Amino acid sequence: MEKRITGIAVSPGIAIGKVYLFEKKEIEINKCPCKNPEEEKAKLIEARNKTKEQLQKIRENTAKKVSEEKAAIFDAHITLLEDEDLLQEVNDIITDEKVSADYALSKGIEVYRQILSDVQDEYLRERAGDLADIADRWIRNILGETIVELSDIPKNSIIIARDLTPSDTANLNLENTLGFITEIGGRTSHTSIMARSLEIPAVVGIGSIIKDIKDIKTKSDITIILNGNTGGVIIEPSEKSIEECEKLKVEFDKNRALLKEFAHRDAISKDGTKIRVYANIGSPADLGGALKNGADGIGLYRTEFLFMENTDFPTEEEQFKAYKEVVEAMSGHTVTIRTMDIGGDKHLPYLDMPVEENPALGWRALRICLDRQSIIKTQFRALLRASAFGKVKIMLPMIVSLEELRKAKAIFNDCKLELMKENVAFNEALELGIMIETPSVVFKSESFARESDFFSIGTNDLTQYTLAADRGNEKIASICDPYNPSVLIAIKMAIDGAHSSGIIISMCGELAGDLLAVPLLFGLGLDVFSMSAISIPEVKKMIISLDKPECAMLAKRVLSLSTSEEVKAELLRFMEIHERGETISY
């Protein structure tokens, strides 16, 4: 009898295949006293060398199967593996506590992993999985265990696992793998990103599916259906369900082929309005997806990734190389880089930060940089240098006052003067803009627009601060809704404020990639949409089908509504009528 369950859809597509249960033997780590600490330290180094060899081989395979950009994920893994501070910390634990190498490593790496696990930002939180991947492989090599890989699995397999590490996913046999399902995970984990790059359907965060599979004892080959569009999974589907899913699969594959035609087209609406559709990235490793899906530029490069993966503040040279790599890869297209947004829920092990009652309202982002000016000076210099290699824009997060903006601009101008005196090349016309995340900026958007080169709306934080609802609190998730009329009015005010001074306004929050919101945002006058790369083709397709005057009427109608439910109902009505090719009347 079939069983239906639902998880998080992270990579689109529909697959019907046989279950391949991928379980790793649990690592048994005991705090056993060691007789010879030096022998344990030697084991640690030997296992590290072996782990490095394995990761380098995985990197080579990834570059061949996917892209050089995705293979760069494992450069970050190797860098952390070779981190001398981490090695010293583990060696100190062995010496001080007289414990085995595997125990000391598990304890030492947990400090780094916990810092990332506790952050609210989903992208950065998922980086903890990368650390866990490295630790797992390193510890197994210390213990002399055989590491199970996914390179040899039967044909027509759908992999079921508790979790898949980036290296697991990189080792997939693509000819035999139809898709995968994991019990834990999120949309921004490298594993999910890899699935989208490989264009195989995937569902994560589905709960106790392994137990459900093991409870089926009637046969060894269990059929399963995976819907990466909806997050739906059917275990032992009926003939009727299989027939229905096969029809959906044919339709999806046909639509995906059609969508690829839109990836590299200009998003020009029926009335001739051109909209730029950009990608959000967290590191150079995400460039492959952006380029493949036809990004017109980068609307948000989150530099936290660079800071969070280091054991000290990245140097000017380290930052310059990372920014330059992205800028050159985008070949003259705009790359909008956000300055360090640390604090609140994002912590650095090497930055002494106070314990705060309300960290989301505390010492974070630009506030830290204005207090510790050496941080932002180093970043500004690196960004200015990178601007000599392409079109760079710099974006300041968490602005609440004109005083903050003016202080940041003064530091920025000082950095420009320094580089001029040093005869270092940079683009003197480089634009400095701000994130619209707080109501205080929305209320005075015209004043801020006069002193900014561009705006970018971060809907995640703008929604949180407008509605006084912590976006990371599951108990109030329904309150933190970007379709709340107050949030939409704030977005409209920001757009009007930007246009009053003739500056461009983009949106890099999650709302920009939501198809339901696209006609509304277009009608409100948004200039640039920035989103996860995989959403770009369908958003371009949507914009090409729209008419600006019609969407402006929709926006006017929506702004007159009183509740989130009314807003969503109106947008759904518009979409249904639009899909039928009819004109909506107001």
Side-chain angles (χ1 to χ4, degrees), residues 17-21 156 158 160 212-225 234-237:
K18 299 296 182 181
V19 166
Y20 180 84
L21 199 57
N156 301 318
I158 292 178
I160 311 290
D212 293 335
I213 295 295
K214 285 183 172 180
D215 284 345
I216 301 169
K217 299 173 182 176
T218 55
K219 52 185 177 179
S220 58
D221 58 333
I222 300 167
T223 300
I224 194 164
I225 292 174
I234 308 175
I235 303 169
E236 290 203 298

Side-chain angles (χ1 to χ4, degrees), residues 58-68 70 150-151 167-175 194 197-198:
I58 292 168
R59 190 205 184 286
E60 290 171 14
N61 291 338
T62 305
K64 290 175 186 174
K65 286 196 292 187
V66 190
S67 68
E68 184 63 32
K70 290 303 172 194
L150 281 169
S151 53
S167 54
D168 289 333
T169 318
N171 278 322
L172 286 176
N173 181 328
L174 296 178
E175 290 183 5
M194 191 76 79
S197 299
L198 296 169

Side-chain angles (χ1 to χ4, degrees), residues 88-107:
Q88 186 59 52
E89 184 171 336
V90 177
N91 278 330
D92 288 345
I93 294 170
I94 293 172
T95 301
D96 297 341
E97 300 185 25
K98 303 292 189 296
V99 291
S100 62
D102 54 301
Y103 176 82
L105 177 58
S106 66
K107 185 176 178 181

Side-chain angles (χ1 to χ4, degrees), residues 12 14 17 37 42 57 66 113 122 142 184 200 211 274 333 383 400 458 468 538 553:
I14 297 166
K57 185 176 180 182
V66 190
R113 195 194 66 77
E122 186 184 3
I142 291 172
I184 62 175
I200 59 173
K211 182 181 181 301
K274 184 174 181 178
H333 293 286
L383 288 165
V400 298
E538 60 183 359
M553 288 191 290

Side-chain angles (χ1 to χ4, degrees), residues 116-153:
L116 288 174
S117 295
D118 289 343
V119 301
Q120 185 174 307
D121 185 284
E122 186 184 3
Y123 184 89
L124 294 170
R125 190 171 64 244
E126 293 290 356
R127 302 289 71 74
D130 301 348
L131 290 171
D133 185 12
I134 297 161
D136 181 88
R137 184 173 288 273
W138 193 351
I139 290 169
R140 288 182 192 277
N141 282 326
I142 291 172
L143 297 173
E145 290 187 6
T146 301
I147 296 174
V148 181
E149 307 284 15
L150 281 169
S151 53
D152 185 24
I153 63 174

Side-chain angles (χ1 to χ4, degrees), residues 198-428:
L198 296 169
E199 295 189 359
I200 59 173
V203 171
V204 303
I206 204 160
S208 58
I209 189 171
I210 292 175
K211 182 181 181 301
D212 293 335
I213 295 295
K214 285 183 172 180
D215 284 345
I216 301 169
K217 299 173 182 176
T218 55
K219 52 185 177 179
S220 58
D221 58 333
I222 300 167
T223 300
I224 194 164
I225 292 174
L226 153 63
N227 191 326
N229 306 320
T230 64
V233 170
I234 308 175
I235 303 169
E236 290 203 298
S238 65
E239 288 298 321
K240 183 180 178 183
S241 294
I242 291 173
E243 189 178 327
E244 288 172 354
C245 285
E246 283 175 342
K247 288 178 182 176
L248 286 174
K249 187 178 185 309
V250 169
E251 187 179 338
F252 172 80
D253 291 343
K254 182 180 176 182
N255 288 337
R256 176 142 72 175
L258 289 172
L259 268 181
K260 286 183 179 179
E261 297 176 15
F262 289 90
H264 299 284
R265 285 179 61 181
D266 289 334
I268 301 174
S269 65
K270 286 181 176 179
D271 61 288
T273 304
K274 184 174 181 178
I275 295 293
R276 280 159 286 181
V277 184
Y278 289 177
N280 297 337
I281 65 170
S283 77
D286 297 335
L287 279 169
L291 294 168
K292 181 179 180 180
N293 285 287
D296 299 325
I298 302 299
L300 170 63
Y301 177 1
R302 307 177 186 91
T303 58
E304 295 84 78
F305 181 83
L306 191 57
F307 286 81
M308 297 289 285
E309 288 206 336
N310 267 30
T311 54
D312 201 349
F313 286 105
T315 64
E316 179 181 324
E317 195 62 28
E318 287 172 332
Q319 292 190 55
F320 164 66
K321 286 179 180 176
Y323 306 148
K324 177 174 174 278
E325 181 180 349
V326 173
V327 171
E328 287 187 322
M330 291 308 295
S331 306
H333 293 286
T334 297
V335 177
T336 309
I337 306 176
R338 183 173 68 187
T339 59
M340 186 192 80
D341 189 5
I342 292 295
D345 62 316
K346 305 166 196 165
H347 302 284
L348 297 177
Y350 48 85
L351 176 63
D352 184 22
M353 298 187 69
V355 177
E356 299 174 307
E357 284 191 29
N358 296 297
L361 306 178
W363 197 54
R364 58 168 290 199
L366 191 64
R367 296 170 183 179
I368 294 175
C369 292
L370 293 179
D371 285 347
R372 305 277 181 90
Q373 293 188 10
S374 61
I375 298 171
I376 200 164
K377 280 182 178 178
T378 300
Q379 189 164 30
F380 274 156
R381 283 177 58 93
L383 288 165
L384 282 161
R385 288 172 58 194
S387 73
F389 298 87
K391 189 174 181 181
V392 174
K393 288 185 175 185
I394 301 176
M395 187 158 64
L396 303 172
M398 195 56 186
I399 290 274
V400 298
S401 69
L402 281 169
E403 289 87 347
E404 288 176 328
L405 175 57
R406 289 167 183 168
K407 285 178 185 176
K409 286 173 73 175
I411 297 168
F412 181 62
N413 289 330
D414 286 344
C415 291
K416 290 169 80 172
L417 289 173
E418 283 178 8
L419 292 174
M420 284 179 183
K421 289 176 183 177
E422 296 167 19
N423 292 317
V424 176
F426 66 91
N427 177 13
E428 293 182 32

Side-chain angles (χ1 to χ4, degrees), residues 338 341 359-362 364-367 396-405 434-446 448 455-468 471 486-487 489-495 505 508:
R338 183 173 68 187
D341 189 5
L361 306 178
R364 58 168 290 199
L366 191 64
R367 296 170 183 179
L396 303 172
M398 195 56 186
I399 290 274
V400 298
S401 69
L402 281 169
E403 289 87 347
E404 288 176 328
L405 175 57
I434 65 170
M435 292 280 287
I436 307 294
E437 300 173 283
T438 61
S440 64
V441 175
V442 170
F443 297 150
K444 295 286 288 180
S445 57
E446 291 187 10
F448 280 92
F455 282 172
S456 183
I457 303 172
T459 49
N460 303 343
D461 270 336
L462 181 60
T463 301
Q464 171 175 249
Y465 294 130
T466 300
L467 302 178
R471 62 190 175 98
S486 296
V487 177
I489 289 169
I491 291 170
K492 173 63 172 169
M493 290 172 68
I495 291 171
I505 181 164
C508 57

